């Protein structure tokens, strides 16, 4: 039986023809979203290593300029979902992660309601437009519900082909995401019911549903992927229905009941709800830091702050175009001021990073001089560019310290803003200009975020940077936030594992994020892995990114569980790749010649060592 070289692409993906290095390719398995391709006759079916070529193209599962741009608006949900996977090996605090994610859905609904119900329905419409505004918020919740269910059918419902990371249902999130989605939708409608002005019993009913969903996410049987309780899905369905009924009854009451006396100014209780929820979420993150470590709490804090910034920017921009002088929560004004602080902290981080970069560039001289003896004497400028590439790649090691350094002043600013908002303190007149500037800058930042999602498809550098972060964020199952962007690995890993098992004699070649999928697929197969399977990885972030930030799931012990012959290629100029503990590591000199192009994270297959490495992995099977 012939050996197949199965190539799995990396960040952002490429056409199958480019992955195979052929002008024409034909899909032999899978579909347009994720499929397996081979060269179309009369194209040469064999690669440089002498084996049959096949490519797994999965990029459409998480790509698409318009789709990714829209999903970027739910970035806080992605960050909240990551908190549960960032926990250390002890895996404590899962319930807290899920409770925080649930509260973030409530914050999202509050932000939309602040525009539709408070500013438009209550303040602009004199209370008459409240039912219409509430229906606008309900439509937004319905859209999230629809997207959550649609992606659940498309991704989580792909049948598994083995055991992943030691848990039978790791890549089978049908039950987990379905239950979580029901709880979040129920909590979202209950939040809406609590915001709409109406009878006291309606608000208390909404609070009861919110309390029920909060307790439910903490129950072990509710969110257990391996042995979900029989009552989990029915209970979640009851809470979802209860939240929807409460919202429907309260909105109907507001539409048909006699109008209540309207107080001038903002919707009663709205500003206090926004502020106290933020304070409770901050306390929850502090508890999470004590239980699960600082990294989950740090990422959760950034998720909360981004959500608060979105809400503040949206509220200020809508209020700015309404007649009169609409009243906004004091927390929104302090949040806008906090964005100014965030920009200053960002500038400081960039300056520190540049200083670190100069230090790393100086340290890289030794590597350049070792790889190219005498090159610096003949062309010092060229040697300097190689130094810069190596130094820039090493900057990845400083990412966590820089994020932690930025976190401290931002945390202090957030705590101060929360205290001032709780005290209903007004922004001093001398700082009103800074608040106005902050609101415009928040709007500009949101537009820039959306533009970045589009720009990523016209710039290779931006695509690699944004794509790498996006692929990491959406690699993980939606175990904490079911309304986050979908997990492409729920389909890619079982599908790739099934193809490996069917091929039998195969060398899987994973590039960049494709190396993570390839590793996960082989691990997923477990004892059913064919004896004829080998693994080659290049540009792999398994150690420098995944093992560092997700130690419970990617550590030397887990990596060693893949017993297939494994060869890993890496470069000093690659900002994401490095040696992998369980592999035979081979360092490639970059550039291949002193005057040649610097490849960094790409172009591994152009190196002559590539074909030799694939043959070596095949020979060790």
């Amino acid at each position: 039986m012939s050996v197949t070289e199965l190539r799995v692409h990396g960040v952002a993906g490429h056409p199958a023809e480019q992955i195979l290095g052929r002008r024409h390719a034909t899909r032999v398995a899978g579909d347009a979203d994720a499929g397996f391709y081979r060269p179309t006759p009369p194209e040469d079916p064999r690669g440089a290593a002498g084996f049959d070529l096949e490519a797994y193209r999965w990029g459409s599962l998480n790509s698409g300029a318009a789709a990714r741009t829209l999903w970027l608006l739910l970035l806080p949900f992605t960050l909240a979902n990551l908190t549960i996977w960032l926990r250390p090996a002890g895996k404590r605090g899962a319930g807290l992660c899920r409770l925080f994610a649930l509260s973030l859905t409530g914050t999202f609904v509050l932000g939309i309601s602040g525009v539709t119900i408070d500013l438009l329905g209550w303040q602009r419409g004199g209370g008459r437009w409240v039912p219409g505004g509430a229906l606008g918020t309900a439509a937004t919740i319905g859209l999230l519900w629809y997207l959550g269910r649609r992606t659940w059918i498309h991704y989580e419902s792909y049948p598994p082909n083995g055991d992943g990371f030691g848990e039978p249902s790791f890549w089978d999130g049908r039950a987990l995401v379905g239950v979580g989605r029901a709880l979040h939708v129920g909590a979202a409608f209950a939040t809406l019911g609590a915001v709409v002005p109406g009878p006291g019993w309606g608000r208390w009913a909404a609070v009861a549903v919110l309390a029920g969903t909060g307790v439910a996410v903490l129950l072990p049987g509710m969110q257990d992927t391996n042995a979900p309780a029989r009552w989990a899905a029915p209970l979640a369905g009851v809470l979802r229905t209860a939240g929807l009924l409460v919202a429907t009854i309260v909105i109907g009451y507001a539409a048909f009941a006699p109008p209540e006396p309207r107080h001038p100014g903002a919707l009663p209780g709205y500003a206090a709800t926004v502020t106290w929820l933020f304070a409770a979420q901050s306390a929850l993150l502090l508890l999470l830091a004590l239980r699960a470590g600082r990294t989950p709490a740090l990422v959760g804090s950034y998720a909360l702050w981004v959500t608060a910034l979105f809400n503040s920017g949206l509220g200020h921009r809508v209020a700015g175009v309404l007649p009169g002088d609409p009243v906004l929560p004091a927390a929104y004004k302090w949040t806008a001021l906090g964005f100014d602080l965030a920009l200053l902290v960002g500038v400081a981080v960039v300056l520190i990073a540049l200083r670190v970069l100069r230090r790393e560039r100086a340290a890289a001289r030794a590597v350049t001089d070792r790889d190219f003896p005498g090159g610096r004497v003949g062309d010092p400028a060229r040697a300097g560019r190689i130094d810069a590439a190596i130094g820039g790649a090493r900057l990845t090691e400083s990412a966590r310290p820089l994020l932690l350094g930025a976190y401290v002043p931002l945390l202090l600013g957030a705590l101060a803003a929360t205290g001032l908002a709780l005290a209903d303190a007004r922004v001093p007149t001398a700082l009103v200009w800074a608040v106005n500037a902050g609101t415009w800058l928040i709007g500009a930042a949101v537009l820039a975020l959306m533009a970045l999602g589009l720009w990523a498809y016209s710039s290779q550098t931006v695509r690699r940077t944004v794509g790498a972060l996006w692929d990491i964020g959406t690699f993980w199952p939606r175990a904490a936030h079911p309304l986050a962007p979908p997990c492409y690995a729920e389909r890619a890993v079982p599908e790739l594992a099934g193809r490996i098992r069917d091929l039998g004699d195969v060398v899987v070649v994973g590039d960049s994020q494709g190396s993570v999928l390839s590793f996960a697929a082989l691990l997923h197969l477990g004892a059913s892995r064919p004896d004829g399977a080998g693994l080659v990885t290049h540009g792999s972030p398994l150690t420098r990114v995944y093992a560092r930030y997700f130690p419970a799931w990617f550590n030397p012990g887990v990596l060693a569980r893949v017993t297939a012959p494994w060869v890993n290629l890496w470069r000093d100029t690659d900002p994401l790749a490095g040696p992998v503990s369980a592999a035979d590591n081979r360092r490639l000199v970059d550039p291949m010649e002193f005057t040649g192009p610097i490849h960094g994270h790409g172009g591994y297959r152009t190196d002559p060592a590539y074909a030799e490495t694939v043959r070596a992995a095949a020979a060790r099977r």
Side-chain angles (χ1 to χ4, degrees):
M1 182 180 294
S2 62
V3 177
T4 300
E5 178 186 336
L6 177 55
R7 296 177 178 178
V8 185
H9 69 78
V11 172
H14 298 288
E17 292 80 2
Q18 185 174 346
I19 303 170
L20 294 169
R22 300 293 186 269
R23 289 179 299 174
H24 303 286
T26 300
R27 187 171 71 241
V28 295
D31 55 33
D33 290 330
F36 298 89
Y37 295 80
R38 293 204 169 198
T40 303
E43 297 276 2
D44 185 358
R46 294 180 177 271
F51 305 137
D52 294 339
L53 283 178
E54 184 167 308
Y56 178 50
R57 188 181 184 279
W58 55 272
S60 295
L61 293 176
N62 70 334
S63 296
R68 181 177 293 184
T69 300
L70 293 175
W71 279 120
L72 281 173
L73 295 178
L74 297 181
L75 175 64
F77 291 176
T78 303
L79 297 176
N81 189 62
L82 281 178
T83 59
I84 201 168
W85 303 109
L86 289 164
R87 295 172 300 135
K91 300 186 180 67
R92 298 177 301 171
L96 295 176
C97 293
R98 293 189 173 105
L99 183 59
F100 170 74
L102 184 72
S103 73
L104 209 62
T105 297
T107 302
F108 175 84
V109 174
L110 278 179
I112 301 298
S113 299
V115 171
T116 59
I117 299 175
D118 182 18
L119 289 176
L120 297 177
W122 183 265
Q123 298 190 49
R124 178 69 181 92
R128 299 184 302 276
W129 298 352
V130 165
L135 289 176
T137 301
T140 304
I141 298 172
L143 177 61
L144 286 178
W145 188 359
Y146 166 76
L147 289 175
R149 178 168 178 77
R150 180 174 178 272
T151 56
W152 174 75
I153 294 173
H154 191 57
Y155 292 84
E156 276 87 4
S157 293
Y158 191 86
N161 273 315
D163 296 346
F165 292 108
E167 298 182 16
S169 301
F170 190 92
W171 298 115
D172 183 11
R174 288 171 290 183
L176 176 66
V177 176
V179 168
R181 184 180 64 249
L183 292 175
H184 278 248
V185 169
F189 279 116
T191 303
L192 172 59
V195 172
V196 175
W201 55 262
R203 183 157 297 178
W204 281 112
V207 170
V209 175
L210 287 171
T213 57
V215 171
V217 296
L218 297 175
L219 298 176
M222 180 66 73
Q223 298 288 318
D224 192 331
T225 59
N226 292 321
R230 292 183 177 180
W231 46 262
L235 176 58
V238 168
L239 290 170
R240 178 186 59 203
T241 302
L244 180 59
L245 284 175
V246 168
T248 302
I249 293 172
V250 171
I251 294 173
Y253 182 91
F256 298 107
E260 297 183 2
R262 178 183 171 276
H263 303 284
L267 183 68
Y270 178 75
T273 302
V274 169
T275 306
W276 279 106
L277 177 59
F278 186 90
Q281 289 168 317
S282 300
L284 186 61
L285 288 170
L286 176 60
L287 183 59
L288 180 62
L290 297 175
R291 290 279 296 168
R294 61 187 181 186
T295 302
L298 182 148
V299 173
S301 297
Y302 282 118
L304 176 59
W305 296 340
V306 171
T307 307
L309 289 172
F310 280 3
N311 290 349
S312 174
L314 179 63
H316 277 95
R317 294 282 54 82
V318 173
V321 300
L322 294 178
D325 189 17
V327 179
L328 288 171
Y332 281 6
K333 297 186 179 297
W334 289 111
T335 299
L337 197 61
F339 189 65
D340 298 330
L341 171 64
L343 289 179
L344 294 176
V345 172
V347 170
V349 168
V350 170
L351 293 176
I352 295 173
L354 290 174
R355 183 174 181 179
V356 173
L357 180 59
R358 287 195 296 269
R359 185 184 66 203
E360 295 292 355
R361 179 175 177 174
R365 291 171 60 94
V367 177
T368 304
D369 293 342
R370 181 187 64 200
D371 290 340
F372 306 101
R376 192 177 303 277
V377 176
D379 191 346
R382 174 61 180 171
R385 287 192 290 272
I386 299 174
D387 295 341
I390 297 173
R394 291 179 175 180
L395 195 60
T396 304
E397 314 299 327
S398 302
R400 177 182 282 184
L402 289 173
L403 286 173
L404 288 174
Y407 179 73
V408 174
L410 292 176
L411 175 62
L412 295 175
L415 293 176
T418 303
L420 291 168
L422 288 173
D424 201 26
R426 302 301 174 185
V427 175
T429 305
L431 294 178
V432 171
W433 68 270
V435 172
N436 294 332
T439 61
W440 283 104
L441 290 170
I442 292 171
V446 173
L447 292 176
L449 185 65
M450 297 179 68
L452 190 64
L454 293 171
W455 188 24
Y457 289 86
S458 60
S459 169
Q460 184 178 20
T461 302
V462 175
R463 181 167 65 249
R464 285 180 177 173
T465 303
V466 175
L469 296 175
W470 180 263
D471 288 352
I472 293 170
T474 55
F475 169 79
W476 297 96
R478 295 185 282 188
H481 206 304
L483 303 180
C487 164
Y488 61 89
E490 293 263 18
R491 172 176 172 179
V493 171
E495 187 171 49
L496 181 58
R499 188 63 176 175
I500 293 171
R501 186 171 54 197
D502 292 342
L503 290 172
D505 286 338
V506 57
V507 177
V508 187
V509 183
D511 172 40
S512 186
Q513 186 67 15
S515 70
V516 182
L517 292 177
S518 301
F519 164 79
L522 288 169
L523 187 65
H524 189 61
L525 287 171
S528 64
R529 176 184 64 82
D531 294 334
L535 176 62
V536 172
T537 53
H538 50 77
S540 175
L542 278 168
T543 296
R544 294 187 71 184
V545 177
Y546 281 87
R548 176 171 297 166
Y549 294 99
F550 306 98
W553 308 100
F554 291 91
N555 55 61
V558 174
L559 294 175
R561 287 167 56 188
V562 170
T563 57
W566 183 357
V567 184
N568 177 62
L569 304 177
W570 65 282
R571 300 185 180 117
D572 281 303
T573 56
D574 193 329
L576 297 178
V580 178
S581 60
D584 174 10
N585 293 286
R586 300 184 180 184
R587 173 181 171 271
L588 301 183
V589 175
D590 188 35
M592 288 180 277
E593 297 178 357
F594 183 66
T595 57
I598 300 174
H599 292 93
H601 188 60
Y604 276 89
R605 287 195 295 269
T606 64
D607 196 298
Y610 172 81
E612 177 189 344
T613 301
V614 174
R615 285 192 292 268
R620 296 180 184 180
R621 296 171 303 135

